[in-house]
Amino acid sequence: KKLLAASTSAHYGLMFVAVGSGYPGIAFLHLVAHASFKAVLFLAAGIAGERAGSYGQHLMGFARALPLVAVMTAIGALSLAGLPPLGGAWTKEAIVTAAEHGSLWVAAGVILAGALSAAYATRFQLSAFGLIERQEQEASKAKPGWAETGAIVALALLTLATSLVWVPSVREALGRAFEIELIEASLATLVLSTVAVALGVLIGILLVRRFPEIGLTGRRIGSACRT
C-alpha cells in the first residue's frame, strides 16, 4: 500500500505537468484513468494482504491461488505501467506530448516517470500475484468474498473501458463533450516513451527476482546482494 500511495503522489505530479503545460483537460482524463486502475490495485493489495496475513510483498505470489483476482489486477497494473492499448497509456502519452510543447526536458522527465511507473507496477503485480508463492510465515489463506471479487472485476472492466480513448471517434467525442483540447503524440516521442516503459518492466522483473525484500526495514539492494 505504501508503494501504491507513493505512485498516486507521482501521478498527481504528472497531472500538474499537464495543467502547467496548458492542457488541464488532459490532466482530467488522466485523473479518470488513474482513478479506475488505482482502485483495482488498492483493492487487490487488500485481498493479497488478507491472504498472506501481512502486507510484505515478499510473502505473497498468489496467481495460482487467486487466478481471477490475479488477472483483474494485471489489467490495473498494465494500465499503471502505461502499456498500450490501455487507457492509462494514452493519457500518459498525452501528458508527454503536452510537456513536449513546453520543454523537451520536462517531456524527458515525464518519460522517465513513465519508466519508473512501469517498474513498480511490474514489481507489484509479480510480487503480489506472481506464479511463485513465497511464504516465509504461516498465511491466513483467506479468500476474497463474492463482494470483493465482484468489485475488482467491475473496476477492472472500468479500466478496460478507458482504453476506448485510443479510438479516434471516441476521443473526439470526449473532447467535444468536455471541451478538452486533445493533442496527438509525435511518432518519435511515442517510440521513446514505449522503449522507456519496456525498460521499466525489465527492471521490475529484475527487482522481483533478485531483490524481493526491498522496502523492508533496513533492507537495501546492497545488503540483498551481500546475502
Side-chain angles (χ1 to χ4, degrees):
K1 285 190 173 183
K2 289 180 180 179
L3 182 155
L4 295 177
S7 164
T8 299
S9 297
H11 279 261
Y12 282 155
L14 296 182
M15 295 173 209
F16 279 117
V17 168
V19 173
S21 300
Y23 294 92
I26 289 175
F28 168 72
L29 291 180
H30 190 64
L31 175 65
V32 173
H34 179 270
S36 63
F37 64 68
K38 193 56 68 68
V40 173
L41 298 179
F42 267 111
L43 182 55
I47 291 172
E50 286 295 314
R51 182 171 180 83
S54 166
Y55 282 101
Q57 292 184 96
H58 66 296
L59 301 175
M60 299 179 180
F62 299 133
R64 291 190 175 92
L66 304 171
L68 177 59
V69 174
V71 172
M72 297 299 103
T73 305
I75 293 172
L78 290 173
S79 192
L80 171 59
L83 195 70
L86 291 163
W90 189 91
T91 55
K92 187 260 294 181
E93 293 306 322
I95 293 174
V96 173
T97 304
E100 186 181 10
H101 285 189
S103 168
L104 291 178
W105 288 108
V106 176
V110 176
I111 290 174
L112 176 59
L116 294 175
S117 291
Y120 55 66
T122 301
R123 183 190 172 213
F124 176 89
Q125 177 66 28
L126 295 183
S127 296
F129 295 99
L131 293 173
I132 301 175
E133 188 167 352
R134 300 180 297 273
Q135 286 294 338
E136 297 178 4
Q137 64 185 40
E138 184 63 27
S140 68
K141 301 300 182 185
K143 288 189 175 182
W146 66 267
E148 292 170 299
T149 303
I152 201 169
V153 170
L155 290 168
L157 292 177
L158 177 60
T159 299
L160 286 176
T162 64
S163 303
L164 292 173
V165 75
W166 285 92
V167 180
S169 59
V170 174
R171 191 161 62 245
E172 292 168 4
L174 285 174
R176 289 192 299 269
F178 295 102
E179 298 182 352
I180 296 174
E181 182 182 359
L182 300 177
I183 48 180
E184 297 293 336
S186 67
L187 179 59
T189 302
L190 182 60
V191 170
L192 286 174
S193 190
T194 303
V195 170
V197 168
L199 289 175
V201 170
L202 292 175
I203 291 172
I205 294 172
L206 174 65
L207 290 176
V208 171
R209 290 185 174 180
R210 297 290 302 278
F211 314 111
E213 296 184 9
I214 289 176
L216 297 181
T217 303
R219 299 290 293 185
R220 296 179 175 86
I221 290 181
S223 62
C225 288
R226 288 193 294 272
T227 57

